[in-house]
Amino acid sequence: MSDIEITDQTGTHKAEQLPECSAPRKSSLHLPDSLSDDKVSYCHDKNMPVIVIEDQTHEHLTTSLRSRKNTLQKSSTEFAENSIEANRISNNYKFGLKKWKGHVTSRPLEARSEIIQDLYSDINKLKDAKVSTFGPFNIIYTLFFGWWLALVYVIIGIIMGATVIGFSYGKFCWRMAGYFFWPFGKLVYQVHTVEQPILTFYNAASSYSNGKENGLKEKQSLLYSSDNHKKKKKTCWGFWDSAASYVWLLFGIPVLFTVHSVVWLINWFFVISIPTAKLNSKVITKILYLPPNEVQTGSYGATNVDGTGQISEIIMYSHQSVNFYYYKYTVDGVNIILANLLIFVILSIILGYAVDNSVIGAVPKCILSVLAIIPLTYYIGMAITSISAQSSFAVGAILNATFGSMVEVILFIIMLKKGSDTGQECYQELVKSSLTGAILCSILFIPGMSMVTGGIKYRTQKFNPKSANISSSLLFVAVLGVFAPTIFSKVFGSLRCLGCERIYEEFTIQPPEKAYITSLNDSVGFLCQQCEQSLLGLHGDRSLYNKHIRPLVYVISIILPLAYLIGLLFTMKTHSEFVFEEFERELKEENALNGGGHSDAQWSRLKSTIILLLCAVAIALCADLISENIQPLLETSGISEYFIGVTMLSLVAELPEVVNGVQFALQNNVNLGIEIGCSTAIQVCLVQIPLLVLVNLIYPMGFYVVFNDIHLWAVIFSVVIINYIFQDGKSDYFQGFIVVFIYILLMGMYFFMLTPEHALCRSDVASNANTTSTPLNMTMR
């Protein structure tokens, strides 16, 4: 090929800038007659599809192919590496299913970037220090950890030295004190004796300037090693050969193990400081149990002692305390940040059930339980996605319709039961506020943040109007169905007021054929405070709800799930090609380009099922703690019950969805960012509320599907706004900011909202729960 151009997602490049394609394949594209098939081929190299064209005269075709590839980018920013990933990506575009970004199959580490490989590498290798070791974060390490770690080692060293027999461990502690005060750019190495004398010298500071001369490789674990020289292996049993080891076991290991464990836990939790955590992990797993004379520190390793050959093996090396790329680190396929948040689940359950409120107050318990919902929601989504990607569309649809709403449904059921047991109507209002908050967050905040982040990076983004129209149509059906009982009660219900007083007015009259004027005081009406629509009918009883609204609720609870199932059938079976024709075709081509390979899922079906069940149990426990401790939180904070419901209780389960939407938008896929919000709102209306009605029918908990006026108008206004945004199929950061500002304004309205007496969660309210109403003072609970 004399003049070759390669077109991929990044544009057009000269062939010499990219490696040769290892597996060329004929293109499946429709080519013009002027270009023969032998001049165009597909190949795949380093997980990147490439189109090779042998003729520079057909640059217009190159542009056309690039356009088609950009179209695929707008639909999918991920490559279908295998059939499981292709199924997952396809499911992301189907109505009603959870949208998930992360891979569900294990990816070989060698196929990923060098930066990612470095995150998973051991710290027993020398790495090129591209930045100065005297960085600000290294200094912060010394201020927060280094000085007192060094102090602990100095104290332990003095104690060990005072025992005389443990003097070797004392010197070890003093060496480690100097290391941990400033470990950056220094080595901790273990000296091994070999059968033949060897002389080596290696300076870490000059390793990359003279590495070639010394014959050393960049990531070599041993400063010098040879297959011809076998080192004497040391085992942990050698640790018990001397009495000094028992002194070390008594005075040294317990303290140092505890100290390093605390430092490891803190640094691991903050993620970006995992390089520091790895140093402490190496100490508590290996270094504390090695013979003290074999562990040396410094910037070099050397050795030749009286004809006895020794080589130095690096144990620890680091030049930085912080690495910001660790936010991409995963543990068993789970992002490290979400994996760390599991600590809230453990703490909330242990402290909530094993520690009395006199030791740990109700407010911290409630906050910990709310935070525990975040990682549990992530794990449920990951498990659902893993099973769906390995199963048929019917299995995925059923899982998403049931377990996809498991977090919210379990929380709401337990809170409704709490309200039924205590006789406080405020728990029912909290549930209704949470449902409203989930809808508002889904149709305003998630799409708004996706449009803002994507618009800032790409100016203008496009999304699939066909799919958006399906979601927007079902949103209207969902909102009409959910709020129809509320509208019905507004028309035929009666007012419930905190209190009413008669208004008297003095006026004068002159009786007929009388010469004097008479002054009279008479009632001209009532002055009522904090009035709202009641479920009570015109006759002052609940016949309106029992005879008219309740049957309407049951009819709606049947129709809404049917609409959800029809939407699933339409987008996933009968009209899948109509809605996603171009996307499905490109995805199939991409999967074929990669050989249509198969890979093992990170989580198997069995493992995912077990995780789902464990998460269900954990959510039930955390939800019970929230319902038990939320009342003190409300009383202490003084914040409106409505605001707590639409923010704290609803947002925690939606945070993974917000993160997914933003990540999709940043990769030029705002379509999924918008679809995430719409599918979540639809699940709230078409799945969660009917489930709550069904549970309330089986086990009555006093759940009336009649919402406050502010909920009704906030949701209707939001649906109208988001449908207006959908019309042109384009988005930018201006539209995104407008949508986000509308959400913030609505939240501000809830924050300053007056809470009716019956909606207050207070300890003195329960005693009045059965107060009867009178025509003038309707305060029925």
Side-chain angles (χ1 to χ4, degrees), residues 280 283 499 535 607:
N280 290 272
V283 173
L535 294 178
K607 181 178 179 179

Side-chain angles (χ1 to χ4, degrees), residues 602-616:
Q602 194 82 43
W603 293 0
S604 65
R605 293 185 184 91
L606 177 60
K607 181 178 179 179
S608 300
T609 304
I610 294 174
I611 290 175
L612 281 178
L613 296 177
L614 291 177
C615 287

Side-chain angles (χ1 to χ4, degrees), residues 493-781:
S494 58
L495 286 176
R496 177 173 62 181
C497 302
L498 179 62
C500 294
E501 297 179 359
R502 288 183 180 273
I503 300 176
Y504 295 93
E505 183 176 336
E506 182 178 341
F507 57 94
T508 59
I509 61 172
Q510 185 175 1
E513 300 179 355
K514 299 290 183 178
Y516 59 88
I517 298 176
T518 303
S519 297
L520 298 175
N521 290 327
D522 198 3
S523 173
V524 295
F526 298 94
L527 177 63
C528 300
Q529 299 176 348
Q530 297 187 20
C531 296
E532 61 180 357
Q533 291 293 140
S534 171
L535 294 178
L536 299 175
L538 299 177
H539 302 289
D541 56 22
R542 291 190 180 271
S543 59
L544 172 66
Y545 185 83
N546 295 331
K547 295 182 179 180
H548 301 280
I549 299 180
R550 179 179 292 168
L552 176 62
V553 170
Y554 293 154
V555 171
I556 290 171
S557 299
I558 295 174
I559 293 176
L560 292 183
L562 284 177
Y564 181 77
L565 293 176
I566 291 173
L568 287 177
L569 187 64
F570 180 82
T571 59
M572 300 182 69
K573 193 67 176 177
T574 62
H575 288 67
S576 178
E577 292 184 359
F578 169 74
V579 180
F580 308 107
E581 180 179 3
E582 182 178 359
F583 167 73
E584 293 285 358
R585 185 179 67 252
E586 297 283 3
L587 194 61
K588 290 178 180 178
E589 289 180 359
E590 186 180 288
N591 189 33
L593 184 63
N594 291 323
H598 296 272
S599 179
D600 294 332
Q602 194 82 43
W603 293 0
S604 65
R605 293 185 184 91
L606 177 60
K607 181 178 179 179
S608 300
T609 304
I610 294 174
I611 290 175
L612 281 178
L613 296 177
L614 291 177
C615 287
V617 174
I619 287 170
L621 295 174
C622 293
D624 182 61
L625 290 172
I626 292 174
S627 64
E628 289 292 333
N629 299 293
I630 196 170
Q631 182 174 307
L633 174 64
L634 292 169
E635 292 179 347
T636 302
S637 63
I639 301 176
S640 168
E641 279 76 359
Y642 290 105
F643 182 75
I644 290 292
V646 297
T647 54
M648 185 181 76
L649 294 182
S650 61
L651 279 177
V652 288
E654 305 298 331
L655 280 180
E657 311 293 342
V658 176
V659 174
N660 285 340
V662 170
Q663 288 181 331
F664 281 124
L666 286 175
Q667 298 196 11
N668 202 18
N669 198 347
V670 74
N671 185 77
L672 279 187
I674 294 175
E675 284 295 316
I676 285 174
C678 291
S679 62
T680 304
I682 289 171
Q683 280 202 356
V684 172
C685 297
L686 304 187
V687 177
Q688 293 180 20
I689 292 179
L691 277 176
L692 292 176
V693 173
L694 176 62
V695 173
N696 187 71
L697 178 63
I698 298 173
Y699 183 87
M701 296 178 292
F703 178 60
Y704 304 112
V705 192
V706 177
F707 291 78
N708 191 287
D709 288 4
I710 191 173
H711 299 327
L712 171 65
W713 300 116
V715 171
I716 291 177
F717 178 73
S718 302
V719 172
V720 172
I721 290 295
I722 202 64
N723 274 274
Y724 174 77
I725 298 296
F726 282 163
Q727 295 199 359
D728 60 354
K730 298 179 181 179
S731 70
D732 51 51
Y733 73 86
F734 174 75
Q735 290 179 322
F737 272 119
I738 294 301
V739 174
V740 172
F741 287 158
I742 292 174
Y743 176 79
I744 295 174
L745 288 172
L746 290 176
M747 294 303 103
M749 182 174 61
Y750 277 105
F751 183 80
F752 294 104
M753 179 180 176
L754 294 175
T755 306
E757 185 73 19
H758 71 92
L760 292 174
C761 285
R762 296 189 316 209
S763 55
D764 59 340
V765 173
S767 60
N768 301 322
N770 297 321
T771 303
T772 58
S773 60
T774 64
L776 298 182
N777 185 20
M778 295 182 181
T779 57
M780 187 170 184
R781 306 303 179 192

